[in-house]
């Protein structure tokens, strides 16, 4: 495998930590995933990236949550029309655990359906 040398690149550790948090959220990985799954991989991509501990990842995920919650709240505030609230409940077959999601739906100014999960438990 040929090595490619990069000459001009910038690295933002805050953005890298945020993106790791987003990956954990999007793929439903455990919080400890950053510490054991990606240490070698991260070092191969960016040697100066320090894989954060589980508590740091948790704080990052909570920051992402607060930001997204604020963004959804603003979107609902500027909506001129009605909002439909739906709920969905289900259980997993292997763990017999119940889940529920509450979702808001509305049509925006360009006639596009928008949906946001308000609560998931």
């Amino acid at each position: 495998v040929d090595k490619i040398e990069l000459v001009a690149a910038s690295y933002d550790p805050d953005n890298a930590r945020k993106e790791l948090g987003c990956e954990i959220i999007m793929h439903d990985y455990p919080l400890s995933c950053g510490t054991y799954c990606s240490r070698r991989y991260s070092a191969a991509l960016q040697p100066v990236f320090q894989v954060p501990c589980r508590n740091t990842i948790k704080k990052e995920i909570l920051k992402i949550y607060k930001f997204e919650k604020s963004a959804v709240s603003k979107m609902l505030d500027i909506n001129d029309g009605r909002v439909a609230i739906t709920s969905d409940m289900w259980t997993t077959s292997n763990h017999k655990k119940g889940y529920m999601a509450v979702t808001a739906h509305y049509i925006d100014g360009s006639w596009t359906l928008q949906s946001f999960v308000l609560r998931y438990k």
Side-chain angles (χ1 to χ4, degrees):
V1 177
D2 296 329
K3 290 184 180 179
I4 300 172
E5 187 168 330
L6 299 175
V7 275
S10 64
Y11 168 67
D12 181 0
D14 294 332
N15 187 51
R17 199 170 38 253
K18 178 184 170 205
E19 291 300 324
L20 178 60
C22 287
E23 285 296 312
I24 289 171
I25 293 167
M26 295 300 294
H27 297 289
D28 202 21
Y29 294 147
L31 291 177
S32 59
C33 177
T35 57
Y36 69 84
C37 292
S38 59
R39 195 172 300 275
R40 287 177 54 191
Y41 182 70
S42 296
L45 290 176
Q46 178 52 264
V48 296
F49 179 62
Q50 296 292 319
V51 177
C53 70
R54 192 173 51 195
N55 289 332
T56 303
I57 298 247
K58 180 180 174 182
K59 288 177 188 173
E60 190 64 42
I61 288 172
L62 288 173
K63 282 196 317 192
I64 293 168
Y65 168 76
K66 288 177 184 175
F67 174 80
E68 292 296 330
K69 182 179 177 182
S70 173
V72 168
S73 180
K74 287 178 187 172
M75 292 292 283
L76 291 173
D77 284 345
I78 64 171
N79 177 36
D80 291 332
R82 295 181 180 176
V83 176
I85 306 290
T86 61
S87 66
D88 189 18
M89 298 187 325
W90 65 96
T91 58
T92 60
S93 58
N94 55 349
H95 292 105
K96 304 291 185 214
K97 192 172 183 181
Y99 294 94
M100 180 175 150
V102 178
T103 309
H105 311 274
Y106 69 92
I107 306 286
D108 67 11
S110 61
W111 291 93
T112 304
L113 176 64
Q114 302 289 334
S115 298
F116 298 103
V117 175
L118 300 177
R119 182 80 176 174
Y120 174 82
K121 190 160 185 159

